[in-house]
Amino acid sequence: MSQVSILEKHRKQYQPKVPPSLRQGIAKVKVLEGAAAEPAKDRETIRKSFPNTYGTPLLSFQIGDASGEAKPLRIGVVLSGGQAPGGHNVIAGLFDSVKSVHAQSQIFGFLGGPSGLEKGKYETITQEKMDAYRNTGGFDIIGSGRTKLETPEQFDRCIEVIKSLELNAVVIIGGDDSNTNAAILAEYLKAKGLTTSVIGVPKTIDGDLKNPHIPVSFGFDTAVKTYSELIGNIARDAGSAKKYWHFIKLMGRSASHIALEAGLQTHANVTLVSEEVEKKNLSLEQIVDDIARVISARADAGKNYGVVLIPEGLIEFIPSFKTLIGSLNDLLAKNEAAFAKLETADAKIAAMSDWLEGALGATFATLPKTIQLQLLLDRDPHGNVQVSLIETDSLLAELVGRKLKGSPSFKGKFSSQRHFFGYEGRAAAPSNFDADYCYSLGCVAAVLVRSGRTGYMASIRNVSKGVDQWAAGGIPISMMFNMEQRHGHLKPVIQKALVELEGPAFKALVQSRAKWEIEDAFIYPGPIQYFGPSEVCDAITKTLELEQG
Ligand code: FBP
């Protein structure tokens, strides 16, 4: 990395803030054991699946003497899944902590995600390399990937690598699925008599890995602030030119936390929330009608412009589409060979239209051809539709346009622009919040490794308050499990945290949305600030403020 921007040069000097218990280095962290932690439900089934790692205690930290000798630690680290701002700082926190315990400690970065661990592809993180990536966005220090580590054969290959590198621990930085698999790997290693720890770190811009012990996953803060800046800019543009409706799709595979937060930050005219759509059993037509209603009302007030926010996962939450997508998944799996032989788009659509039965075929037929094709694209490694590839923004803009055209009462003008914000925010330079939170999570992971824990997730609570009140500790991953159907089997998994319709963040939207629909009440958040007053630089998200404040 020879050249860096001026901002990056200055940003590298930023020293992340850490909670009080970590301020004297990890050799001065005393680990306190709390009550044995168990999941909220399905306890017996989960206990049986995790006989060696079930029921371990909740851990909290305080300043004191760490037990154990100061020997070198050898830790492998994996960045798993989609990028999230701050991943480099997790590695930096881990790196600095283990080096402070013993200069001979080493961090091995597995390349390209979990497959690097399985195939033994790694790079030793040197001081020079680490320094080049401090407080930067992206996962490019070692790369990321979406390989799922879940079968005994894969775990056995990991064991070979773990043994050859004599690892004390593997730290897996990932979302709900990656952390689920981290816990399974921890159990597997223990069952095989290995003392190697497996520690998870909560990552995902989607914000859906959260619970009472994990207030937020890292990356959400920076990503959503980046999108909110862009949405604010678009709202200003819309209000200046007064001629476009902007349909903006926002990342978040399932949960609508990003769209909701961006709506709260910018006061967009319409913010769709997938969880509400599902709860109210809304059809695509009803969603279109509702957007058209807002556009008409604004047109009556002389405003032929506005902003609509659409969560990326919306389509899977519309009940009729959920069923359609489920059938498409089954049919694509069942007819894999036949489907692969079809060469043209028309042939693929025709074949699927034949295979789909009754009402499902009719729903499929109502969709524009581009969307039909997007629904037939390859699934991700978890068997999910890649919602980032489905242009819901275009779908809604087109259907709303058709609706308004056919409406005699609509007297305004409708012209739309479509956007998708996702990749723009996933590798952004971490905000102060994410820089501090991630570095601290890396230190927490180091403490958990040093104290010989396995199957734990690094946790920091009280993050809606100043860093002086942050509380660090470790949470047994198995306590976050519940049993879910996955690919026809009941499996223990970490439950995704969807937007709670009774929660304060959604209620705040409901309370104001009628006003934001009609009035120009836009807020323009502007870019993330890294230097300046703490009120600006250390601001937290509305969601965190409302949920935890
Ligand atoms: P993670 O859950 O792995 O953090 O990734 C989330 C995400 O950014 C989603 O918001 C999005 O749907 C998906 O990744 C896109 O995946 P890809 O990086 O494979 O295009």
Side-chain angles (χ1 to χ4, degrees):
M1 210 187 252
S2 48
Q3 280 199 321
V4 297
S5 69
I6 296 174
L7 176 69
E8 201 171 310
K9 187 177 114 190
H10 284 271
R11 193 64 184 156
K12 283 211 175 71
Q13 307 308 319
Y14 179 73
Q15 184 52 51
K17 303 184 275 299
V18 296
S21 60
L22 298 169
R23 287 187 189 155
Q24 296 186 21
I26 68 161
K28 288 281 172 200
V29 176
K30 190 167 179 195
V31 177
L32 304 176
E33 295 193 352
E38 292 193 272
K41 44 188 185 166
D42 305 318
R43 288 187 179 165
E44 271 323 297
T45 325
I46 294 166
R47 184 200 300 275
K48 279 190 194 131
S49 306
F50 294 86
N52 296 288
T53 49
Y54 184 89
T56 47
L58 288 167
L59 303 174
S60 59
F61 301 168
Q62 71 176 37
I63 293 181
D65 282 329
S67 54
E69 48 177 324
K71 57 177 187 162
L73 292 169
R74 298 169 65 82
I75 302 180
V77 63
V78 175
L79 289 165
S80 182
Q83 284 65 253
H88 291 157
N89 270 26
V90 177
I91 302 180
L94 190 63
F95 181 94
D96 293 348
S97 298
V98 298
K99 290 281 185 190
S100 75
V101 168
H102 198 291
Q104 300 301 317
S105 292
Q106 281 195 300
I107 301 290
F108 304 94
F110 287 109
L111 303 177
S115 65
L117 170 59
E118 191 186 350
K119 294 180 184 154
K121 292 198 172 149
Y122 68 92
E123 190 179 318
T124 307
I125 309 287
T126 60
Q127 184 74 49
E128 191 189 1
K129 176 130 194 167
M130 193 66 259
D131 290 345
Y133 284 90
R134 287 177 194 272
N135 305 311
T136 58
F139 280 0
D140 44 331
I141 186 170
I142 48 174
S144 182
R146 289 198 182 276
T147 303
K148 248 171 111 96
L149 293 182
E150 55 178 355
T151 67
E153 295 74 26
Q154 286 178 307
F155 290 154
D156 287 338
R157 284 193 285 276
C158 295
I159 287 182
E160 291 308 308
V161 176
I162 287 168
K163 282 184 176 165
S164 71
L165 285 172
E166 296 175 37
L167 295 183
N168 300 100
V170 177
V171 173
I172 296 182
I173 302 170
D176 52 336
D177 279 330
S178 307
N179 275 286
T180 294
N181 293 333
I184 299 172
L185 177 62
E187 174 67 30
Y188 194 84
L189 297 186
K190 219 159 175 204
K192 294 270 171 176
L194 272 76
T195 54
T196 311
S197 310
V198 183
I199 302 296
V201 177
K203 169 236 73 165
T204 177
I205 61 160
D206 293 3
D208 56 8
L209 174 45
K210 66 174 165 183
N211 56 49
H213 303 281
I214 308 291
V216 64
S217 53
F218 81 75
F220 175 75
D221 184 273
T222 309
V224 82
K225 282 176 180 162
T226 306
Y227 306 140
S228 299
E229 177 207 350
L230 298 175
I231 296 162
N233 295 350
I234 283 177
R236 274 265 201 235
D237 194 285
S240 309
K242 302 193 190 306
K243 62 176 180 180
Y244 291 128
W245 269 90
H246 293 270
F247 285 67
I248 306 175
K249 183 176 90 162
L250 291 161
M251 252 192 188
R253 233 215 77 77
S254 282
S256 308
H257 297 293
I258 291 180
L260 174 57
E261 172 67 23
L264 293 173
Q265 283 200 27
T266 62
H267 302 184
N269 305 103
V270 176
T271 298
L272 299 176
V273 171
S274 307
E275 291 82 346
E276 183 184 27
V277 166
E278 184 171 52
K279 174 84 194 301
K280 292 185 173 166
N281 203 5
L282 297 181
S283 64
L284 181 59
E285 203 181 351
Q286 286 170 304
I287 298 168
V288 168
D289 283 354
D290 201 46
I291 301 173
R293 172 189 63 76
V294 176
I295 294 175
S296 295
R298 282 179 65 83
D300 291 345
K303 297 172 189 170
N304 289 304
Y305 59 91
V307 177
V308 179
L309 303 184
I310 306 156
E312 183 185 51
L314 176 72
I315 199 133
E316 284 192 310
F317 283 75
I318 302 173
S320 55
F321 277 85
K322 198 174 183 171
T323 322
L324 172 65
I325 290 170
S327 295
L328 291 177
N329 290 349
D330 291 347
L331 289 167
L332 286 171
K334 207 166 93 191
N335 301 297
E336 198 179 351
F339 195 75
K341 284 191 195 133
L342 301 170
E343 282 174 7
T344 65
D346 286 336
K348 288 179 184 176
I349 292 171
M352 190 50 80
S353 305
D354 273 356
W355 294 332
L356 282 166
E357 285 171 7
L360 294 177
T363 309
F364 191 64
T366 57
L367 297 172
K369 189 171 160 185
T370 45
I371 303 291
Q372 288 178 323
L373 272 177
Q374 286 159 12
L375 285 171
L376 298 180
L377 292 172
D378 288 343
R379 272 37 185 168
D380 74 7
H382 302 272
N384 299 318
V385 170
Q386 299 191 61
V387 280
S388 58
L389 301 178
I390 299 178
E391 293 166 0
T392 338
D393 45 319
S394 295
L395 174 67
L396 288 177
E398 189 172 326
L399 297 180
V400 167
R402 279 190 214 165
K403 175 93 201 169
L404 292 170
K405 215 169 161 191
S407 158
S409 60
F410 179 62
K411 301 281 179 268
K413 289 190 186 127
F414 175 73
S415 185
S416 67
Q417 296 285 350
R418 302 99 196 258
H419 315 260
F420 170 35
F421 297 151
Y423 301 99
E424 293 80 351
R426 290 202 317 184
S431 60
N432 279 1
F433 176 86
D434 272 327
D436 297 344
Y437 185 46
C438 290
Y439 186 85
S440 303
L441 285 169
C443 301
V444 172
V447 174
L448 294 172
V449 172
R450 185 159 193 252
S451 69
R453 314 288 164 160
T454 193
Y456 275 81
M457 191 183 289
S459 147
I460 300 176
R461 289 176 297 108
N462 292 350
V463 291
S464 63
K465 314 210 167 70
V467 183
D468 285 348
Q469 293 185 60
W470 287 13
I475 311 299
I477 299 178
S478 58
M479 82 166 290
M480 300 175 200
F481 282 161
N482 75 143
M483 301 302 291
E484 281 181 24
Q485 280 288 342
R486 294 276 171 105
H487 308 298
H489 300 282
L490 209 52
K491 290 190 173 174
V493 293
I494 298 176
Q495 192 170 16
K496 260 191 202 310
L498 299 179
V499 167
E500 280 184 27
L501 301 181
E502 292 306 316
F506 182 69
K507 281 189 174 165
L509 176 77
V510 172
Q511 200 179 7
S512 301
R513 65 183 167 187
K515 179 176 151 77
W516 298 346
E517 279 175 0
I518 308 303
E519 291 176 20
D520 280 357
F522 302 123
I523 301 276
Y524 314 105
I528 293 173
Q529 300 294 310
Y530 300 96
F531 306 98
S534 173
E535 191 191 1
V536 188
C537 300
D538 299 322
I540 56 170
T541 60
K542 304 272 175 219
T543 306
L544 203 53
E545 197 178 296
L546 289 160
E547 285 180 351
Q548 307 274 323

